[in-house]
Amino acid sequence: MILITHIIASFIGIIGAYLEGYAFFKKLPGVQAIATKIAWIGLIILFITGIFLFLGDIPKYTQSVKFISNMSVLAILIVNALQRKSTRTVCISLICWTWILFIAVFV
C-alpha cells in the first residue's frame, strides 16, 4: 500500500511540475498557483511514504545507487521549491521530476 501511494505521489508531483512549467511560460498565474500546490502535495507525500519505505528495508536502500540518486534529486527539488519562481527554478524542477521518473522506470 505504501509503495502504491509512493508511486501515485510521484505522478502527482510530476503532473504538478509540468503543469506549473506550462503555466509559468504561458504566463497563467492562477493555474501556476494551483499547479505549485499540486507539486508540493506530491513532494510531501513522496517524502513521507519514502521514509516508510526506507525504514522497511534500511540495508537495501543504503546500498542502492538508485535510492541515493533519487534522494539527491529530492534534496535539490526541496531547495529549489523554496526559492522564488523564475525560469531557472521552473526548469530545474522539470528536470528533477523527469529524472525521478526516469530512474524509477529505467534503472
Side-chain angles (χ1 to χ4, degrees):
M1 183 65 171
I2 292 174
L3 182 60
I4 293 170
T5 306
H6 192 72
I7 293 168
I8 291 170
S10 297
F11 283 109
I12 290 170
I14 290 166
I15 290 167
Y18 278 94
L19 186 58
E20 180 183 13
Y22 177 79
F24 179 83
F25 290 113
K26 292 291 184 179
K27 307 225 183 308
L28 304 169
V31 175
Q32 185 182 356
I34 294 168
T36 301
K37 290 177 185 172
I38 292 170
W40 265 108
I41 289 168
L43 189 60
I44 291 167
I45 296 170
L46 188 71
F47 185 75
I48 292 169
T49 56
I51 289 172
F52 286 114
L53 289 171
F54 176 75
L55 293 175
D57 197 356
I58 295 172
K60 172 186 168 188
Y61 289 113
T62 54
Q63 297 187 7
S64 168
V65 174
K66 180 178 176 179
F67 174 77
I68 294 168
S69 172
N70 273 342
M71 289 304 98
S72 301
V73 173
L74 185 62
I76 293 168
L77 269 174
I78 291 170
V79 170
N80 187 58
L82 296 174
Q83 297 182 14
R84 187 168 173 234
K85 294 296 174 215
S86 67
T87 303
R88 178 183 55 86
T89 58
V90 170
C91 290
I92 290 171
S93 176
L94 293 173
I95 291 167
C96 288
W97 280 107
T98 303
W99 178 257
I100 287 175
L101 178 64
F102 177 81
I103 290 296
V105 173
F106 297 110
V107 176

